[in-house]
Structures are given as C-alpha cells and as structure tokens.
Amino acid sequence: SLFSRTPYDHYDMGWVNSYRQGFNFQCPHGEVLVAIRSYFSEQEGSDRLWSFECQSTPEGLGEPSDCWWDDINRAGMEWTSTCTRNGLVAGVQSKYFESVLDREWQFYCCYYKRRCPYSCMKTTDVPEHYREEGELVVPNYGYFIRGAQTTFSGVLRDRQWKYILCRMTDFDCDFENL
C-alpha cells in the first residue's frame, strides 16, 4: 500500500492551500495534472491540504487550443465530473464551506484539437479509507486525468475520489462531447 512507508513530513509538501482556505491551481500552458496529494485533519475543520503536480503533454497532442473552468460540483454532495468537450484536467479550484465541513470543486480543462479519449478507466478509491492521506500519481504510459467520481461521508466529513483516466487518440477523430 502507498501508506506503509514512513509518513512524510506533511509540512513540506508544497501544499496549495491552508486548512479551510479556498485555492485556485492551474498548470502552466501545455501541461496537465499528473499527481494529486492530500492530507486530512479533523481538528482543522475536517479539511485537507492539497498539492498538485503538472507535466507537459506528449508532442503528439499538440498545444491546447482552448482552456476553461468546467461546472462547479457542490459541497456536501456526491458527484461525478468529467471535462466537457473531450478536455483534460489542467487545474483545480476549490472553496471550503464551514457549514458542511466540505469543499466545492471545479476542474480547469484544456481541449487538444481533435484528439479523443479512449480506453478510459477509474482508479480505486483515493484515499483507500476516509481520513487517510491520499495520493494519485498517473501511470506514465499515456493516461490523462479527465475527471473524477467522488463519494462524501456525512459522518466522517471526508471525500473519496475515483479519478477518471483516459488515453487520447494520436489521430484526429470526429468531435464529440464525451
């Protein structure tokens, strides 16, 4: 398991937020999200610290021709969100709500010409159990994050994520909103 090693010092992880704080994280142009880490604290409003890593997309994909903030996913709800217009996740913004001890989430998506997703899969739950440290690192053989499906525990006030990963065609395909 990811967590059998010595717990890392969670103060030195390049977190993008403080507990209960909103954040807005965007990869540099031409890069997409490849790693997501989080650390839970019950004392700090049942919230998580978050850190993200980006990486340039393979040359075959070309430059993103358009990027946008996708739909807002409400706090306290279970939701599934995939980038519209075949987009890839290149950023995240989030706002904390004290009333539900949870966050709303929005993905920043980028569209790569006429490339289409295929061979999509969902990861197992991240974290494996509520309130554990969470870590997703995209396997580097051509998979990209397109979104997530989440569950929310009203009792433990924490969220588990199954990330939606897809490959992208290396040829033009008819444009479809998947």
Side-chain angles (χ1 to χ4, degrees):
S1 120
L2 286 174
F3 304 110
S4 50
R5 57 171 194 245
T6 352
Y8 44 72
D9 176 1
H10 68 273
Y11 294 104
D12 190 30
M13 282 294 295
W15 305 115
V16 298
N17 64 308
S18 313
Y19 290 113
R20 303 188 187 88
Q21 297 301 302
F23 66 83
N24 171 322
F25 177 85
Q26 277 170 258
C27 294
H29 182 77
E31 297 190 10
V32 291
L33 220 52
V34 294
I36 301 173
R37 295 187 180 83
S38 65
Y39 187 90
F40 182 86
S41 169
E42 188 181 2
Q43 294 70 40
E44 297 283 357
S46 291
D47 195 20
R48 286 179 174 272
L49 299 175
W50 290 86
S51 100
F52 304 98
E53 281 171 46
C54 304
Q55 200 174 309
S56 299
T57 51
E59 238 170 81
L61 273 186
E63 291 282 300
S65 49
D66 193 16
C67 297
W68 64 92
W69 288 102
D70 228 23
D71 300 334
I72 290 179
N73 299 286
R74 303 275 166 216
M77 313 279 283
E78 311 212 326
W79 50 263
T80 299
S81 179
T82 308
C83 283
T84 51
R85 294 177 50 209
N86 295 330
L88 301 178
V89 176
V92 186
Q93 78 183 358
S94 178
K95 191 173 154 197
Y96 179 79
F97 290 87
E98 196 76 53
S99 54
V100 266
L101 302 180
D102 189 32
R103 296 177 161 273
E104 68 175 27
W105 292 89
Q106 206 174 2
F107 289 126
Y108 183 66
C109 301
C110 288
Y111 169 59
Y112 284 80
K113 289 194 301 245
R114 299 169 68 84
R115 301 291 186 249
C116 292
Y118 71 100
S119 283
C120 297
M121 59 181 227
K122 276 183 206 139
T123 64
T124 53
D125 281 321
V126 180
E128 198 177 340
H129 303 286
Y130 287 115
R131 300 187 162 191
E132 289 183 340
E133 290 170 27
E135 178 171 69
L136 168 82
V137 179
V138 176
N140 58 7
Y141 36 82
Y143 276 93
F144 302 95
I145 302 175
R146 292 217 50 238
Q149 175 186 331
T150 71
T151 52
F152 179 67
S153 164
V155 176
L156 297 175
R157 295 287 147 184
D158 192 22
R159 196 170 277 286
Q160 281 177 313
W161 301 69
K162 284 183 167 77
Y163 294 96
I164 299 162
L165 306 181
C166 299
R167 307 185 76 130
M168 295 294 273
T169 56
D170 50 11
F171 52 86
D172 284 3
C173 54
D174 292 334
F175 179 76
E176 263 180 60
N177 183 13
L178 290 177

